[in-house]
Amino acid sequence: MRPLLIAPSMLASDFSKVGEEVRAADQAGADWIHLDVMDGHFVPKISFGPAVIQAMRPHTKKVFDTHLMIAPCDPYLEAFAKAGSDIITVHVESSPHVHRSLQAIRALGKKAGVTLNPGTPVETIENVIDLVDLILVMSVNPGFGGQAFIPTAIEKIARLRALAGARPIDIEVDGGITAETAPLVARAGANVLVAGSAVFKGGPDTYAKNISAIRLAAALVRGEAA
């Protein structure tokens, strides 16, 4: 099995002190830092871009897992790579040329990910699976934090895990992840769990407890905790 990783989404953090929030998530036990980039075009809201990611970068050495909810994405890949992203993930729906986008990410020396929206079938990534290090399953419609988990994501995760086979591909899930939904997605085969509201609720004093609760719930169904 791929290692179980918890990736708090900075979208749910306090943007007025984002450096402090990155450090707090790191110290609370985050494995990766998930960065949701929204353009107000591909998705309804605008979040942040390369300059903010660059400002976050000195505050942690953890992996920066950058999820681009933007279209087009190709003109901006180099900027996100230079800002400090370690993984750059693009939506299969954002361009007719996702194969080229994934090639470009790899050429920049970064790990490449591909994302599927809730209504997008698994088959859309079959022809690019050998170019990806990560597949991100959206378990909510992208663009807003705090949404309810869409249960059909569970079957999609299982199908993608089977499609990945023995390839060293992480299966990530984003949307409505809590201590209650974490076992469902972990059992299906997801190993990277993105959580925003469930981590950042309650302020910095609760982040470690919140991350631990999600991790334990997932670890139990993986047979890694008792």
Side-chain angles (χ1 to χ4, degrees), residues 135-218:
I135 302 168
L136 171 55
V137 177
M138 293 304 300
S139 45
V140 298
N141 283 296
F144 301 92
Q147 297 183 70
F149 179 82
I150 298 174
T152 52
I154 297 168
E155 180 187 358
K156 183 179 283 188
I157 291 165
R159 291 178 63 197
L160 287 165
R161 177 51 74 195
L163 180 64
R167 298 176 182 88
I169 295 174
D170 290 308
I171 306 293
E172 184 174 44
V173 60
D174 182 3
I177 299 301
T178 64
E180 289 69 42
T181 56
L184 305 177
V185 299
R187 186 180 290 114
N191 68 291
V192 184
L193 278 55
V194 176
S197 304
V199 168
F200 289 100
K201 65 182 180 183
D205 291 343
T206 69
Y207 296 171
K209 179 185 71 174
N210 296 340
I211 290 171
S212 293
I214 296 167
R215 190 188 305 279
L216 178 60

Side-chain angles (χ1 to χ4, degrees), residues 98-100 102-103 106 112-113 127-133:
V98 68
H99 187 282
R100 184 168 63 196
L102 294 168
Q103 287 180 315
R106 286 179 168 270
N127 290 328
V128 297
I129 195 162
D130 289 318
L131 286 175
V132 303
D133 302 286

Side-chain angles (χ1 to χ4, degrees), residues 22-36:
V22 169
R23 291 197 304 274
D26 181 336
Q27 293 164 9
D31 299 296
W32 292 357
I33 302 296
H34 189 78
L35 304 170
D36 285 308

Side-chain angles (χ1 to χ4, degrees), residues 1 4 182-183 186 193 212-226:
M1 286 193 296
L4 175 61
L193 278 55
S212 293
I214 296 167
R215 190 188 305 279
L216 178 60
L220 284 168
V221 301
R222 286 164 54 95
E224 297 173 345

Side-chain angles (χ1 to χ4, degrees), residues 6-30:
I6 309 300
S9 171
M10 297 306 297
L11 188 66
S13 70
D14 183 346
F15 280 12
S16 71
K17 47 182 180 181
V18 71
E20 293 176 38
E21 291 280 68
V22 169
R23 291 197 304 274
D26 181 336
Q27 293 164 9

